[in-house]
């Protein structure tokens, strides 16, 4: 049976500020904004090209705003993706790679500045945060591993 990741719930402190960041500043598709009642509101946005959406709002999670770290977006050209985000006024850290050459450590420990020397697929990262501090990573994937 297929199981596809459909939605990630993002903890935010200010729904309208988050909506402005994701839908207006980043240009992610605004799929829904349902103000159900005073304590319950659902906003759904989807990154360009993604099948998985992000939901935030009021009454959706007990997780503290800004505590989601390690969310990942895959891009085919990390340099161009970083330029695009910077043009939207987003502060981006990177590009970098992990000293292990594998994934990346939490936080900024073990980062080696710059692109992967061979520009190997899955080898280069950059990161940015939303206004609450939820952290996103970009990973450059130019050729998918077999079976993916």
């Amino acid at each position: 049976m297929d199981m596809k990741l459909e939605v990630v719930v993002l903890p935010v402190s200010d729904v309208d500020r988050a909506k402005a960041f994701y839908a207006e500043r980043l240009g992610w598709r605004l799929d829904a904004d349902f103000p159900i009642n005073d304590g319950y509101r659902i906003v759904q946005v989807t990154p360009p090209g993604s099948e998985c959406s992000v939901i935030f709002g009021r009454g959706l999670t007990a997780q503290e705003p800004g505590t989601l770290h390690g969310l990942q977006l895959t891009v085919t050209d990390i340099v161009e993706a970083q330029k695009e985000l910077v043009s939207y006024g987003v502060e981006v850290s990177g590009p970098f790679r992990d000293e292990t050459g594998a994934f990346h450590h939490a936080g900024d420990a073990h980062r080696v500045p710059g692109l992967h020397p061979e520009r190997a697929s899955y080898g280069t990262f950059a990161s940015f945060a939303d206004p609450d501090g939820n952290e996103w990573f970009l990973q450059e994937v130019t050729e998918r591993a077999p079976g993916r």
Side-chain angles (χ1 to χ4, degrees):
M1 173 182 295
D2 285 350
M3 291 187 190
K4 297 180 181 182
L5 182 62
E6 184 76 17
V7 170
V8 173
V9 179
L10 192 65
V12 301
S13 60
D14 183 318
V15 179
D16 289 320
R17 181 178 71 175
K19 180 180 173 184
F21 179 77
Y22 288 103
E24 295 167 23
R25 182 182 260 179
L26 295 184
W28 293 10
R29 186 181 70 227
L30 178 62
D31 300 320
D33 186 349
F34 299 121
I36 309 298
N37 60 41
D38 286 340
Y40 193 52
R41 179 178 174 191
I42 305 163
V43 177
Q44 179 174 322
V45 295
T46 303
S50 180
E51 292 184 25
C52 182
S53 297
V54 175
I55 290 180
F56 50 85
R58 284 191 303 273
L60 300 177
T61 181
Q63 193 170 0
E64 290 295 317
T67 57
L68 205 51
H69 298 268
L71 295 163
Q72 187 162 309
L73 301 167
T74 302
V75 298
T76 56
D77 187 326
I78 205 156
V79 173
E80 288 304 312
Q82 184 170 358
K83 284 180 189 175
E84 185 174 312
L85 288 170
V86 168
S87 77
Y88 299 153
V90 176
E91 186 177 328
V92 181
S93 174
F96 59 87
R97 63 189 189 281
D98 192 86
E99 69 184 10
T100 65
F103 193 58
H104 58 77
H105 283 80
D108 58 8
H110 308 282
R111 287 184 182 178
V112 177
L115 300 166
H116 185 279
E118 290 85 40
R119 200 83 185 253
S121 198
Y122 300 97
T124 304
F125 301 89
S127 65
F128 69 95
D130 72 8
D132 280 297
N134 294 301
E135 184 180 35
W136 292 86
F137 284 89
L138 303 175
Q139 183 179 34
E140 185 174 74
V141 177
T142 54
E143 185 177 327
R144 291 253 170 221
R148 304 213 174 153

